[in-house]
Amino acid sequence: MASERRGQADRVCRFDRVSDPDPPPPPPPPDLAPPPGYASYDSGPSGVGPLRRVGGLAKWIVILLPIFAIGQVVQLAAAPWVVGSAQDLLDERISDDEFLDDYERYNLLGGIAGLATVAMVVLSVIWLFRTMKNHRDLGRSTTWAPGWAIGGWFVPPFVLYIVPLLMLREVWKASDPASPPGDQGWKRSPDNPVIWAWWVLYGIAPILFLVLGVRQQVGMTTGDADDIADAMDDRLPLLIASGVATIAAAVLWVVVVRGITGRHRRLTGEAV
């Protein structure tokens, strides 16, 4: 009996040794500090608020560019065809209805580019708002408040887009990763010439094309087949030049968005 009780006691001791939990891990070193220039995406500096991610928006803008470009190229390729149809109407080789059908199909071809343009505009406004809001949360004393990322596209002189140009210049400078949060050295950062090139193609060139084609544009608003055909007959070089400028402006816009986003993510520590 004594030997049996000793055997039971040995088994209990062995069970106790096996079931002992692992010792807890050592505590982390005290006073851990983030690296210089790091900003958490859970809370902004001094608890101001969470920083907003911009990388996903920039990626979608880049994805939409080929869709827009394809739609624009297809419409450009169809421009000689619709101009030829206009000449046929003026030479009385086709009827008014036949020409108007061709003209309507030509306009529908621009629908792909138009839908992509709307999506890019919406995403770009949100992207610019988030970027500027992050700069304010990081202590950048910017001239333009985040709300101007929305309203700035609609203030006079509307089609020149002066406010978006100035905001993009400031966002580019404020995204300088060499200037840590709270530091104002970013104001001395050089301009990005691509932003100016985009503005020339997106803000200035359309006004030039509008002025050059004002006579044709008036004729196309009457709804009369002969007036539209006469306007289209003279408009082919302007259509091609305008389409090429529009595609170039979209490409430069993607370059601007990618450039600013890359600097901004390096500044804030946003993961790729």
Side-chain angles (χ1 to χ4, degrees):
M1 290 294 294
S3 62
E4 183 177 347
R5 284 195 296 272
R6 283 196 301 271
Q8 292 176 349
D10 290 342
R11 285 194 296 272
V12 170
C13 291
R14 286 195 299 272
F15 176 80
D16 289 341
R17 287 194 298 270
V18 170
S19 61
D20 283 345
D22 294 332
D31 302 326
L32 280 177
Y38 172 80
S40 171
Y41 274 79
D42 296 326
S43 62
S46 304
V48 171
L51 295 178
R52 293 150 181 81
R53 298 183 180 275
V54 299
L57 291 171
K59 185 180 297 184
W60 275 108
I61 292 172
V62 174
I63 290 173
L64 286 169
L65 173 64
I67 301 174
F68 166 81
I70 290 172
Q72 193 69 35
V73 168
V74 169
Q75 192 177 34
L76 274 177
W81 161 71
V82 73
V83 169
S85 180
Q87 292 171 344
D88 289 341
L89 174 64
L90 296 175
D91 294 337
E92 300 182 351
R93 288 193 292 266
I94 62 175
S95 67
D96 289 3
D97 290 339
E98 288 175 312
F99 166 71
L100 290 176
D101 287 343
D102 290 343
Y103 181 66
E104 184 177 352
R105 283 192 287 268
Y106 168 76
N107 287 328
L108 287 175
L109 289 175
I112 299 175
L115 291 175
T117 299
V118 172
M120 288 179 69
V121 167
V122 172
L123 292 175
S124 297
V125 167
I126 299 172
W127 167 84
L128 187 57
F129 175 88
R130 287 187 180 183
T131 307
M132 187 60 81
K133 187 67 171 64
N134 283 347
H135 287 319
R136 285 292 181 94
D137 290 344
L138 290 171
R140 306 299 212 209
S141 57
T142 56
T143 302
W144 300 97
W148 283 105
I150 303 171
W153 299 89
F154 305 101
V155 298
F158 303 99
V159 294
L160 284 178
Y161 306 117
I162 298 295
V163 173
L165 167 68
L166 298 176
M167 288 192 72
L168 288 168
R169 290 182 64 238
E170 191 167 55
V171 164
W172 169 266
K173 290 173 177 283
S175 297
D176 185 358
S179 181
D183 180 70
Q184 303 304 320
W186 58 270
K187 294 184 177 182
R188 297 186 294 272
S189 297
D191 274 351
N192 182 354
V194 180
I195 294 175
W196 287 98
W198 164 80
W199 179 70
V200 168
L201 290 174
Y202 192 74
I204 301 297
I207 297 178
L208 178 62
F209 293 133
L210 181 63
V211 171
L212 292 176
V214 65
R215 184 184 66 82
Q216 295 96 329
Q217 194 66 37
V218 170
M220 295 175 67
T221 58
T222 65
D224 182 78
D226 287 332
D227 290 341
I228 296 174
D230 185 52
M232 291 296 295
D233 189 38
D234 297 332
R235 211 175 179 218
L236 181 58
L238 203 60
L239 286 173
I240 295 176
S242 176
V244 171
T246 301
I247 294 173
V251 172
L252 289 181
W253 176 248
V254 168
V255 173
V256 169
V257 169
R258 289 185 55 139
I260 292 176
T261 301
R263 284 164 63 95
H264 190 78
R265 294 174 80 170
R266 291 195 297 273
L267 170 69
T268 60
E270 180 182 348
V272 178

